[in-house]
């Protein structure tokens, strides 16, 4: 027997309808690409999103068509999200930080028909347009006054484009499982893969992230999403903020420390989220100028593991910082480092240790860790294995590919290696491709990085595996020092001494610049390539390869002793 409740499909456009009905005057503030601060509100955003929808409908865009965006976080980009999704088309967010060839590859793979881009990307698109075979017209996200002269096909200023319709339009209606958004993973190995969100997964993801122990936004909050609309579904900020009526502040293209600080201060932001690289710039700016942000009650760090010193640094400034973990394929939130009983009263080093975990899964995310053969590992905080997840906002496949990505229990392998403890706190020890396999045992690059990052002269570190004739792989520590600071190999190694297991000690330390990916992660593949032939000092000392019958495990024991 079925329940007798209303059939009310979970569609994204209902979120902006709700915001316009219940929080119409709640502000959406943007540092515009043109420069000045722009102010609008949810009532206006909905009206203009309806114009986008009407315009797309008139331009012949139908259910399932892809409309691409190449844009920073602004109110116009948000209007596009709702306008595109509201007629059942698919909002394909493209990451402008990718290499131009990757941008072209992604847009072609998705077969987008219209491309909406910030004016800053016009020169790039002019170079690429000959390769963008399916794009019929380019909409430039600006007004007539700021419209650049361009040869792009059918180019029109966004404001003129939506002014061509009157907004007397109704959202289309369709099944809640209809595709809503398309976001490609960064593709550090092989081609990027498209994750295809549905209306239902987006609405459920937003309800999930809005929970008090997750992002915990309310109508009294002001939120500044540093996380881009083009990466990992904007961590659902474009949905969760209007869902609860939080004011939004969009940073546009300026993510340097002073620009972000100014917005956080001037708009009295209470909650914000972004990747460690952006928070590093903010923290350095605030420390050097001795600044404070009294309104900011919550700062979430995700996308890569933050060193505990970063969390501690924000705590010293009176800002509660914690981790979020997730991935594009999860819509994206998977866990939050919130302190639950019996940890809520912790202080000092114990609190920091707890906050250094990636936290626990909220309702709608299920996790397990397994060995390489799929056998479940215990939740004892010690066993580490492949982290697998399932839930209604976790991908079950990739756009245009037939790969089987789920195990027999319906879990998706995240590619991360983690422990889970008896309180359900999960700790990422590595990406499976970054873990260092030394003498048959695994060394966590993240754990060494966390310790090394606390050295006072260090700005950022990365630990990578370097081939070793005896142990298979050994850790190499790459250090980028703070501007003006100096550190030697011996002082760094002396600093690590006693803080990590002896056999985890890096075999060498090099000073270098740390490269980043388009989504703000350390580009370890590039470092591995750079140091592929690096001569470890330990190699000359122990270059004897393993003899037949000598197991690598016994090797580890020797190294340990
Ligand atoms: P993306 O799909 O670009 O968001 O990347 C997802 C990956 O980023 C995850 O699988 C993790 O490897 C990494 N990641 C995200 N958040 C964290 C975190 N808090 N700590 C460690 N790694 C993280």
């Amino acid at each position: 027997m079925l329940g007798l409740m209303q059939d009310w499909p979970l569609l994204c456009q209902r979120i902006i309808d709700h915001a316009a009905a219940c929080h119409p005057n709640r502000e959406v503030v943007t540092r515009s690409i043109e420069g000045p601060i722009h102010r609008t509100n949810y009532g206006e955003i909905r009206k203009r999103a309806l114009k986008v929808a009407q315009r797309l409908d008139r331009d012949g865009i139908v259910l399932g068509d892809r409309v691409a965006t190449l844009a920073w976080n602004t109110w116009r980009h948000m209007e596009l999200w709702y306008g595109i999704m509201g007629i059942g088309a698919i909002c394909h967010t493209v990451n402008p930080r990718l290499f131009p060839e990757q941008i072209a590859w992604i847009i072609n793979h998705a077969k987008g028909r219209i491309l909406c881009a910030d004016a800053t990307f016009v020169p790039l698109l002019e170079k690429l347009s000959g390769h963008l075979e399916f794009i019929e017209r380019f909409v430039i996200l600006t007004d007539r006054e700021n419209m650049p002269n361009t040869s792009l096909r059918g180019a029109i200023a966004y404001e003129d484009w939506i002014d061509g319709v009157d907004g007397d339009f109704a959202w289309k209606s369709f099944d809640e499982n209809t595709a809503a958004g398309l976001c490609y993973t960064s593709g550090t190995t092989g081609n990027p893969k498209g994750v295809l969100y549905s209306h239902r997964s987006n609405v459920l993801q937003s309800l999930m992230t809005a929970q008090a122990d997750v992002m915990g936004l309310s109508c009294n909050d002001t939120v500044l999403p540093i996380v881009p609309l083009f990466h990992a579904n904007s961590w659902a900020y474009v949905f969760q903020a209007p869902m609860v009526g939080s004011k939004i502040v969009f940073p546009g293209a300026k993510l340097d420390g002073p620009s972000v600080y100014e917005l956080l201060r001037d708009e009295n932001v209470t909650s914000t989220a972004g990747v460690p690289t952006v928070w590093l710039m903010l923290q350095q700016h605030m420390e050097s100028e001795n600044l404070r942000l009294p309104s900011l009650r919550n700062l979430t760090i995700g996308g890569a593991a933050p060193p505990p010193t970063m969390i501690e640094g924000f705590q010293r400034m009176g800002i509660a910082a914690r981790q979020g973990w997730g991935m594009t394929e999860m819509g994206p939130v998977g866990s939050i480092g919130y302190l639950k009983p019996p940890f809520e009263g912790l202080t000092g080093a114990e609190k920091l240790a707890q906050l250094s975990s990636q936290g626990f899964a909220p309702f709608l995310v299920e996790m397990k860790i397994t060995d390489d053969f799929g056998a479940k590992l215990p939740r004892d905080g010690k066993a580490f294995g492949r982290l697998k997840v399932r839930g209604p906002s976790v991908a079950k496949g990739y756009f245009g590919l037939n790969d089987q990505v789920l195990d027999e229990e319906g879990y998706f392998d995240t590619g991360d290696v983690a422990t889970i403890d008896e309180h359900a706190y999960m700790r990422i020890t590595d990406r499976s491709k970054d873990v260092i396999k030394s003498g048959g045992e695994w060394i966590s690059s993240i754990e060494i990085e966390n310790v090394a990052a606390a050295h006072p002269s260090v700005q950022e570190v990365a630990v990578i595996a370097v081939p070793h004739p005896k142990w298979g792989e050994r850790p190499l520590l790459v250090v980028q020092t703070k501007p003006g600071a100096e550190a030697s190999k011996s002082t760094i190694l002396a600093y690590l001494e006693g803080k990590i297991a002896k056999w985890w000690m890096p075999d060498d330390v090099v000073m270098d610049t740390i490269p980043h990916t388009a989504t703000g992660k350390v580009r370890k593949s590039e470092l591995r390539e750079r140091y592929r032939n690096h001569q470890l000092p330990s190699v000359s000392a122990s270059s004897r390869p393993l003899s037949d019958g000598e197991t690598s495990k016994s090797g580890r024991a020797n190294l340990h002793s």
Side-chain angles (χ1 to χ4, degrees):
M1 186 186 294
L2 296 177
L4 280 172
M5 307 308 279
Q6 294 184 7
D7 188 10
W8 196 88
L10 302 177
L11 299 176
C12 295
Q13 56 267 34
R14 296 196 191 274
I15 296 176
I16 200 68
D17 283 351
H18 169 77
C22 294
H23 312 282
N25 301 318
R26 205 65 174 121
E27 273 190 308
V28 176
V29 181
T30 304
R31 186 193 293 286
S32 67
I33 306 300
E34 293 86 356
I37 297 291
H38 175 274
R39 290 175 191 278
T40 181
N41 58 41
Y42 287 134
E44 285 301 309
I45 294 263
R46 178 179 179 274
K47 273 191 210 148
R48 286 163 51 95
L50 272 167
K51 283 185 156 198
V52 171
Q54 187 179 17
R55 184 66 220 225
L56 289 169
D57 187 56
R58 194 168 290 180
D59 286 358
I61 299 294
V62 298
L63 192 84
D65 277 349
R66 273 75 72 195
V67 177
T69 66
L70 188 69
W72 302 109
N73 287 9
T74 69
W75 83 100
R76 289 187 179 118
H77 200 175
M78 180 172 178
E79 289 165 2
L80 278 167
W81 273 50
Y82 281 102
I84 296 167
M85 295 179 191
I87 57 163
I90 300 169
C91 180
H92 172 205
T93 51
V94 184
N95 184 342
R97 296 199 187 107
L98 293 169
F99 296 118
E101 315 79 68
Q102 275 182 316
I103 291 179
W105 187 92
I106 285 173
I107 294 173
N108 282 337
H109 188 260
K111 297 197 171 83
R113 291 184 56 195
I114 294 182
L115 174 52
C116 307
D118 280 332
T120 34
F121 302 123
V122 166
L124 167 75
L125 290 173
E126 283 175 344
K127 285 196 199 110
L128 290 182
S129 68
H131 305 285
L132 303 179
E133 13 179 344
F134 304 102
I135 298 293
E136 294 159 26
R137 98 170 304 177
F138 292 82
V139 176
I140 309 306
L141 298 174
T142 191
D143 51 22
R144 192 173 298 179
E145 284 141 56
N146 292 289
M147 179 70 178
N149 257 333
T150 172
S151 56
L152 288 171
R153 287 188 287 289
I156 184 170
Y158 175 81
E159 296 297 334
D160 287 342
W161 185 59
I162 60 172
D163 270 355
V165 292
D166 59 12
D168 185 12
F169 190 72
W171 305 122
K172 303 260 166 158
S173 193
F174 36 81
D175 187 275
E176 64 180 17
N177 287 303
T178 302
L182 178 61
C183 183
Y184 281 69
T185 59
S186 10
T188 43
T189 50
N191 281 328
K193 292 178 182 159
V195 179
L196 194 57
Y197 306 114
S198 68
H199 281 259
R200 175 185 151 85
S201 76
N202 277 343
V203 172
L204 291 176
Q205 170 78 196
S206 313
L207 286 166
M208 181 185 95
T209 48
Q211 291 174 63
D213 299 347
V214 188
M215 295 305 182
L217 293 182
S218 84
C219 59
N220 295 313
D221 274 306
T222 296
V223 62
L224 188 149
I226 290 288
V227 325
L229 272 70
F230 55 73
H231 178 216
N233 210 16
S234 82
W235 296 12
Y237 273 110
V238 167
F239 303 122
Q240 53 169 317
M243 182 178 271
V244 298
S246 304
K247 168 179 160 182
I248 303 191
V249 182
F250 285 129
K254 288 194 167 169
L255 299 180
D256 57 284
S259 303
V260 170
Y261 174 79
E262 194 182 275
L263 271 187
L264 290 169
R265 180 197 60 199
D266 293 355
E267 297 299 327
N268 293 314
V269 171
T270 58
S271 181
T272 184
V275 291
T277 40
V278 174
W279 297 140
L280 191 66
M281 293 190 282
L282 176 71
Q283 202 167 53
Q284 283 178 350
H285 173 65
M286 289 180 69
E287 267 165 8
S288 66
E289 307 284 321
N290 196 21
L291 301 171
R292 291 289 176 271
L293 286 167
S295 304
L296 192 60
R297 64 169 181 83
N298 163 26
L299 180 148
T300 304
I301 312 170
T309 42
M310 177 178 280
I311 298 177
E312 197 181 18
F314 280 122
Q315 276 176 357
R316 272 201 308 276
M317 294 170 184
I319 299 169
R322 78 250 172 107
Q323 290 203 49
W325 167 86
M327 63 193 313
T328 307
E329 287 90 335
M330 297 186 72
V333 176
S335 68
I336 284 286
Y338 192 77
L339 292 184
K340 62 174 180 172
F343 305 107
E344 77 281 23
L346 291 181
T347 55
E350 284 179 326
K351 179 175 178 183
L352 191 59
Q354 201 58 32
L355 287 174
S356 300
S357 90
Q358 273 69 23
F360 55 92
F363 175 60
L364 297 183
V365 175
E366 291 179 1
M367 286 182 183
K368 67 175 178 182
I369 45 172
T370 75
D371 64 16
D372 281 349
F373 306 102
K376 262 191 202 136
L377 294 171
R379 291 177 162 233
D380 59 6
K382 294 190 191 85
F384 55 92
R386 291 171 171 276
L387 177 63
K388 298 179 180 174
V389 291
R390 67 180 180 190
S393 56
V394 178
K396 63 177 177 186
Y398 290 103
F399 176 69
L401 296 177
N402 288 323
D403 305 13
Q404 166 64 289
V405 298
L406 306 184
D407 72 9
E408 58 289 350
E409 289 185 325
Y411 281 87
F412 174 87
D413 189 335
T414 62
D416 287 329
V417 178
T419 62
I420 302 179
D421 70 17
E422 63 272 35
H423 299 282
Y425 279 86
M426 184 271 288
R427 265 175 211 274
I428 304 274
T429 58
D430 246 315
R431 283 296 287 167
S432 53
K433 60 183 185 306
D434 294 337
V435 79
I436 299 148
K437 294 176 181 126
S438 173
E441 294 284 329
W442 287 7
I443 297 177
S444 158
S445 64
I446 293 184
E447 283 193 36
I448 306 176
E449 287 161 7
N450 282 348
V451 176
H455 187 286
S457 300
V458 162
Q459 166 143 326
E460 208 177 355
V461 290
V463 172
I464 54 163
V466 172
H468 190 287
K470 184 168 183 181
W471 310 114
E473 291 175 351
R474 289 296 299 157
L476 170 71
L477 174 60
V478 186
V479 173
Q480 180 172 340
T481 49
K482 285 183 182 152
E486 279 185 18
S488 66
K489 171 180 164 178
S490 55
T491 55
I492 299 276
L493 286 176
Y495 183 80
L496 296 181
E497 203 73 60
K499 297 189 179 94
I500 54 174
K502 215 169 165 193
W503 67 279
W504 283 29
M505 283 295 277
D507 283 31
D508 204 0
V509 180
V510 290
M511 306 296 157
D512 202 346
T513 313
I514 307 271
H516 292 102
T517 67
T519 52
K521 300 181 210 308
V522 172
R523 192 185 287 282
K524 289 199 177 177
S525 55
E526 185 176 328
L527 287 176
R528 277 194 290 267
E529 190 53 32
R530 239 184 248 175
Y531 290 99
R532 201 156 45 100
N533 298 319
H534 183 74
Q535 277 299 317
L536 293 172
S538 56
V539 170
S540 43
S542 62
S543 55
R544 178 179 63 88
L546 287 176
S547 57
D548 284 353
E550 183 183 13
T551 66
S552 47
K553 263 217 161 122
S554 64
R556 180 185 72 77
N558 289 344
L559 191 64
H560 195 184
S561 57

